[in-house]
Amino acid sequence: MKTPGLAAPAAVVMRRNTIAEQIHAVMRRDIIAGRLAPRTSLAEQELAQRFGVSRTPIREAMIKLSEEGLVEIFPQYGSFVGPIKLAEVLDSQFARETLECAAVEKAVDRMDARQESRLKAILDRQRALQKSGDDEGFFRADEEMHAFIFALAGHPTAWLFVAGAKAQMDRVRYLAMTDLRKHPTVMAEHAAVIDRLCARDRQGAVEAMRIHLRSILKTIETLKHQKNEAFVESGGDQEAQPELDGASSRHPLRKRSRKTEPQRT
């Protein structure tokens, strides 16, 4: 029965937004995982064909990715996967270290036999995934370990803040996974964190986590030498926008600053 004085609720239209959100999620994963490499050209028409949709949800997804710093949109020219912004990586590393070390410290007091078993099971699964070469599975198991420590500390929502703020850092982590020498180091760091947690060693657990989270700083220095084209130092601004160089098709972009600019692919 209709309540007097209350207007009927308006119809909720979600379909187009839902499609745009799904496209955003797929492209975000592809960029973070390196399947869409930094500076790759993103043509709306090609993306529309890939997803079987019109350009409108593609454009909506691209705008959101641009707001997250994962895509750069240059009016009149095109859109490109953004480079990895080192300033944002360092900011997210600082925030993550601060929160995760605090979480480990609190988690020590809440450990019991069941939680020890859970952490050791996660570590065993990571070892198995490492041996099988399943980088994607290893990444998910890595995330599971960190999320579980936040839950154990009594702050599961804090992990969501961390996870949402570390997109640029995760791009570095995926790049590092291509270096097989990195896996044993990560496993040793994870094992140290879990060992100190299970031993109820608060100071040791915090220090082990700090060492683990700071290892990305060394990784960045290594990757900058190997894949320098994937990085920029700052978050970027408008001074490095590309402009057409009418002189040649061999050099479609003319650099307007010292920053490296996207190349058409």
Side-chain angles (χ1 to χ4, degrees), residues 24-41:
H24 165 265
V26 171
M27 292 185 65
R28 188 178 193 274
R29 285 196 301 270
D30 284 350
I31 292 170
I32 289 174
R35 289 186 287 271
L36 287 172
R39 309 182 192 283
T40 298
S41 176

Side-chain angles (χ1 to χ4, degrees), residues 227-245:
K227 304 174 186 286
N228 185 60
E229 73 284 353
F231 296 92
V232 291
E233 292 292 335
S234 69
D237 51 38
Q238 296 304 308
E239 67 183 57
Q241 281 198 14
E243 79 182 57
L244 290 174
D245 185 341

